[in-house]
Amino acid sequence: MDRMTTARGDLDLARFPQDPRDPLRAWDAADEYLLRHLDEREGGPVDLSGSLVVLGDRWGALSTALATTLATTPAARRPAHESIHEPIHEPILRPVQISDSFLGQQATRANLERNGLDADAVRLRTTRDAPPDRIDVLLVRVPKSLALLEDQLHRLAPHVHEGTVVVGTGMVTEIHTSTLTLFERVLGPTRTSLAVRKARLIFCSPAPEASRGANPWPRSYALPADVGVVSGLTVVNHAGVFSAERLDAGTRLLLRSLPTRTGPEHVVDLGCGNGVVGLAAALSNGEAEVTFIDESYQALASAEATFRANEATFRATTGAQAAARFVAADGLADFPPGTADLVLNNPPFHTHRGRTDATAWRMFNGSRAALRRGGELWVVGNRHLGYHVKLRRLFGNCEVVASDPKFVVLRAVKR
């Protein structure tokens, strides 16, 4: 945990899940630059008394800094004519945070609590929820995915007005000409600030009547003909989800390698993305119950849309009704232990600017706890990541099921 100093006071902030070994902070210079601008803008501080939306706040640093709670004026400061039993309340500021990240929202909740703020000091909404009807101030933490930014600006554009203050922020490596062009095309005239500590601000003046075109998301494509039971089926991708235009090579190898299984069992598509791996597991065993898990709300929406788009194929192939659940979660942290028969996993090796195997390691540990004895974990990953070493250490065994020059599919069994 680290302390961020702002004009609103010092805040203790941490990422989620909190890891004392993690060298990365819950905020950066872009967050600090935006907060300073709100207080020190030329012409006076930004009026935050209206409807305030914070989009893409990664770990809740912006939302926590902006949030206030109902404050009771001490009795000694009350006007003499007011009853001591009637508290005086200051205006309340309750930012609306819109996030694609379950972990980011959990971090916001934890950061509010550790700084003595009420749990409802920030209204948490996902990228799939309806935005507020009216937005007076829109603060945008520019995401890594330009597609996600495009989708969200389209969704928010009908709710801003000519007087809406729109300010984006990001590190200079995150803000490109395409970023500014996107703001201008969807919202209105856009300019950028000078860089300060390698961070930059984006200023946009909404033009609600401008023609922005239709939101191009979600998108669909047909799977190739050489990937087993899902060959030729439809995949639906919402903005920001991995492999939005075509099937990635690692998942292709995993789909070609999946076992044919029968009988009632619980299968988990862990880090499901667009859900194509879980769909394949369901099609290969009509008696299976499949749980799709991801920390991205966009991914879960994609997985469910992919599953629903192919339900007719499922019924025709298996003669059964599909049994599937779609869960936003911190991996398998809250999954009932010893209840899964098969976990399928294509773990990320970079998360929120952190390029380590920490997320994969947590997924592997969670899988071992979730599996019943005899249950199996199937993993696909880049060969150079050496996942076989970790799986052998954790499970006591690891088998190479398939490989190509870049990827490897591994199988570990819980003894």
Side-chain angles (χ1 to χ4, degrees):
M1 181 165 42
D2 293 293
R3 177 160 292 187
M4 179 173 74
T5 299
T6 76
R8 294 169 170 80
D10 291 348
L11 297 172
D12 292 325
L13 301 171
R15 295 184 169 212
F16 185 92
Q18 189 175 352
D19 182 354
R21 298 166 297 179
D22 186 357
L24 297 175
R25 301 185 306 183
W27 79 95
D28 60 20
D31 299 311
E32 293 175 322
Y33 195 1
L34 175 56
L35 291 171
R36 284 198 305 274
H37 169 77
L38 296 178
D39 294 325
E40 302 169 6
R41 182 185 62 165
E42 184 178 349
V46 175
D47 181 5
L48 301 176
S49 62
S51 173
L52 168 62
V53 170
V54 183
L55 174 64
D57 191 5
R58 293 177 182 174
W59 301 106
L62 292 173
S63 301
T64 303
L66 292 167
T68 61
T69 56
L70 285 173
T72 303
T73 303
R77 294 168 50 194
R78 294 176 184 277
H81 67 275
E82 293 195 10
S83 167
I84 194 171
H85 301 294
E86 296 295 330
I88 299 175
H89 295 305
E90 298 174 358
I92 185 169
L93 170 62
R94 292 182 62 207
V96 175
Q97 182 200 86
I98 298 177
S99 173
D100 178 45
S101 172
F102 173 85
L103 297 182
Q105 291 196 335
Q106 293 298 101
T108 301
R109 291 187 176 96
N111 284 325
L112 289 172
E113 180 179 359
R114 64 171 51 96
N115 288 284
L117 296 170
D118 291 344
D120 63 353
V122 175
R123 290 172 286 178
L124 301 179
R125 298 191 184 182
T126 78
T127 49
R128 308 308 309 156
D129 292 331
D133 292 336
R134 175 188 172 95
I135 300 174
D136 298 310
V137 178
L138 174 60
L139 308 178
V140 180
R141 178 65 210 235
V142 174
K144 179 180 179 181
S145 167
L146 192 67
L148 179 59
L149 178 62
E150 178 181 36
D151 173 72
Q152 291 303 298
L153 291 183
H154 269 285
R155 288 169 63 89
L156 295 173
H159 305 275
V160 304
H161 51 86
E162 289 186 359
T164 300
V165 176
V166 179
V167 186
T169 190
M171 304 304 290
V172 293
T173 55
E174 300 169 326
I175 297 176
H176 312 282
T177 301
S178 57
T179 313
L180 305 178
T181 300
L182 184 59
F183 269 90
E184 184 137 348
R185 175 167 57 83
V186 179
L187 292 184
T190 299
R191 61 185 177 87
T192 186
S193 73
L194 297 174
V196 174
R197 293 177 56 209
K198 300 183 179 180
R200 198 180 294 277
L201 299 179
I202 297 171
F203 306 111
C204 182
S205 302
E209 303 306 318
S211 176
R212 67 182 67 92
N215 188 343
W217 298 96
R219 296 177 181 175
S220 302
Y221 61 85
L223 289 164
D226 60 349
V227 288
V229 293
V230 294
S231 294
L233 297 186
T234 299
V235 174
V236 181
N237 272 68
H238 284 275
V241 178
F242 178 63
S243 194
E245 305 293 339
R246 66 186 67 84
L247 186 67
D248 66 284
T251 301
R252 181 192 293 259
L253 182 63
L254 178 59
L255 289 171
R256 289 172 172 173
S257 311
L258 287 180
T260 300
R261 300 167 68 99
T262 58
E265 63 175 2
H266 193 170
V267 180
V268 178
D269 185 352
L270 177 59
C272 63
N274 59 29
V276 64
V277 173
L279 175 64
L283 284 168
S284 65
N285 181 7
E287 297 182 81
E289 175 191 354
V290 182
T291 298
F292 296 80
I293 297 177
D294 207 292
E295 79 97 16
S296 162
Y297 296 104
Q298 296 286 106
L300 288 170
S302 300
E304 185 163 9
T306 296
F307 201 83
R308 303 306 174 204
N310 295 286
E311 280 187 308
T313 300
F314 182 90
R315 288 192 296 270
T317 302
T318 67
Q321 186 69 31
R325 296 189 307 138
F326 304 87
V327 181
D330 174 18
L332 292 163
D334 297 319
F335 196 87
T339 59
D341 298 285
L342 175 65
V343 177
L344 305 171
N345 184 216
N346 183 355
F349 61 93
H350 51 82
T351 306
H352 294 286
R353 296 178 65 195
R355 203 173 184 87
T356 72
D357 62 358
T359 299
W361 186 235
R362 293 186 70 249
M363 285 180 161
F364 299 161
N365 276 279
S367 297
R368 189 180 186 282
L371 287 167
R372 65 178 83 251
R373 288 193 178 277
E376 301 178 7
L377 168 63
W378 287 57
V379 174
V380 63
N382 293 74
R383 297 177 66 96
H384 73 272
L385 296 174
Y387 286 153
H388 63 286
V389 176
K390 290 186 176 297
L391 292 175
R392 191 170 291 120
R393 185 191 315 164
L394 185 61
F395 285 83
N397 64 92
C398 181
E399 170 193 358
V400 177
V401 176
S403 65
D404 64 20
K406 188 173 182 180
F407 296 96
V408 62
V409 176
L410 307 171
R411 170 180 173 265
V413 181
K414 183 174 179 179
R415 306 297 190 191

